[in-house]
Amino acid sequence: MKPTVYVINGPNLNLLGTREPDKYGRATLADVETLCREAGDRHGFAIAFLQSNHEGELVSWIQEAGRAGAAGIVLNAAAYTHTSVAILDAIAATAVPVIEVHLTNIHAREPFRRTSYVSQVAKGVICGLGPQGYGLAIAGLAGLAGQGSRT
Ligand code: CA2
């Protein structure tokens, strides 16, 4: 069985491609899922692609990835990136490497977006590259798995 990468998306990302295209582009979340599945195929991963508007559900999926022995988590926690100690704690408690992804460059936007609780416990961070950042994160997890590194 292929190792699984969990791709977890936070609040409002279900609206991708339908609103604010100047900021977030025209790709839908379904397009991002297709991109992730293609990257998964290239790197030998099964993909569990998830989105929720609820903080606790994101926490539960991070825990589930840990229990399942996932190869990695690609996490765009959206607005919870900047507020959620619960998500920070869930990542800190898992042995699964987390790559934080943002479509936009969070350092070039409002000052409050420069604070990321996720970055404090993520293995790596990719932002500002749009949907391709998800594919790069999956490639990065493949590189980490090749090194035998899970932390
Ligand atoms: O750039 C990113 O990926 C963000 O995680 C997106 C979040 C934002 O709060 C973060 O600071 C950066 C917002 C997601 C909202 O997604 C929408 C997509 C289309 C239309 C409206 C919202």
Side-chain angles (χ1 to χ4, degrees):
M1 232 173 61
K2 289 183 192 174
T4 300
V5 169
Y6 280 60
V7 181
I8 301 177
N9 295 282
N12 297 306
L13 286 166
N14 54 309
L15 299 177
L16 262 189
T18 68
R19 306 255 200 298
E20 301 192 78
D22 294 351
K23 215 175 279 169
Y24 295 113
R26 296 198 178 276
T28 64
L29 196 63
D31 295 331
V32 176
E33 179 173 359
T34 299
L35 180 159
C36 288
R37 293 196 185 284
E38 287 170 356
D41 287 346
R42 273 197 302 282
H43 295 288
F45 291 131
I47 300 292
F49 194 89
L50 303 160
Q51 188 275 330
S52 177
N53 294 327
H54 303 280
E55 185 176 14
E57 194 155 32
L58 302 177
V59 168
S60 293
W61 285 334
I62 292 164
Q63 292 182 4
E64 181 188 306
R67 280 194 302 274
I73 298 172
V74 176
L75 176 62
N76 184 349
Y80 288 135
T81 303
H82 316 296
T83 63
S84 180
V85 177
I87 290 174
L88 179 156
D89 286 346
I91 297 168
T94 185
V96 178
V98 173
I99 310 292
E100 175 183 1
V101 169
H102 300 284
L103 297 160
T104 61
N105 180 353
I106 56 174
H107 303 286
R109 298 184 61 185
E110 302 95 323
F112 70 84
R113 293 187 204 274
R114 288 184 204 142
T115 297
S116 168
Y117 287 90
V118 173
S119 292
Q120 295 177 37
V121 282
K123 179 75 181 169
V125 183
I126 298 171
C127 75
L129 299 179
Q132 68 168 332
Y134 286 74
L136 294 170
I138 290 167
L141 287 168
L144 292 176
Q147 291 166 10
S149 162
R150 305 198 54 206
T151 55

